[in-house]
Amino acid sequence: MSLLVVGSVAFDAIETPLGKVERTLGGAASYFALAASHFAPVRIVAVVGDDFTKKEEAAFRGRKIDLSGLERATGKSFFWSGRYSLNMNERTTLATELNVFADFRPTLPDPYRDSKFVFLGNIDPTLQRSVLQQMRQKPKVAALDTMNYWISGTPEALRQALKDIHILMINDDETRQLTGEHNLLRAAKAVFKMGPRTLVIKRGEHGALMIHEKFIFSVPAFPLEEVRDPTGAGDSFAGGFMGYLASVGRINDKTLRSAMVYGSVVGSFTVESFGVERLASVTRREIAARARHFSKLTAFRL
Ligand code: AMP
């Protein structure tokens, strides 16, 4: 089934203890779309500047990614730069240059307006809501990501956006900040009152936790000997998660659990290289093999 993503398409400069890149394709929507396209066709809504050439576009070509909603504006593309600590657990943002992203008003091409699955990447909650308002009918599943900047800066707009959301995907700090609850189970109950009936908490090297009204499910991060660049792991997780759900088209206890595993598997490939390189080269067969490995990793009998 059709899957739409709105978010940033960017150039990133990244420095980790294992290397450095000056300018590579980045942005939440890029990671999401590449990850999800391993499972289902994806429609991107984003903006880039005139420095985004055919060369950058090539990363999306030849895949099930529809770029008709990728707007071209005059000026520079969004640029983000970050540096990771020695243990890679902390990240310092060195630069955020919004450029053409500052005036971004997402506009859905007509065929996008019937998308059944929608992922609202981390942008202004008013714009996230405007995407849902442009839909011809309510999507089967709408998921949303946000960050501390919007939670503290525009809380009312975020509350409004959350009303029509099924799945909220954020990290533990953001969960606590949004709800004022330290305990994540209590925080989930507060989230349920805001709209979403499922909370997916991304926990970096500790994996991810899904709290649904009726069940809880936890997945680890796939153990890797070497993590080269954690950038985009969360967006790749979201892409694998939503891409899998869109591919099966059904939402239930079983498909939500599998979506968590595919999210974690795809995220684990992303961090093996800088930028989107490994995410773009991984095959469906490698994803399937790692997912099987995952099931052994977590299986036990009582
Ligand atoms: P993650 O590692 O999952 O937080 O995602 C990192 C990606 O998010 C990078 O590729 C950045 O280009 C992008 N990014 C960083 N800051 C922002 C922002 N304020 N709004 C939208 N995208 C951003």
Side-chain angles (χ1 to χ4, degrees), residues 8 10 12 26-28 31 78 80 91 101 122 147 230-235:
S8 54
D12 287 350
Y31 283 103
F78 180 79
W80 175 82
R91 177 167 83 185
F101 202 54
N122 166 31
M147 68 191 286
T231 310
D235 304 310

Side-chain angles (χ1 to χ4, degrees), residues 25 115 282:
L25 173 65
S115 301
V282 66

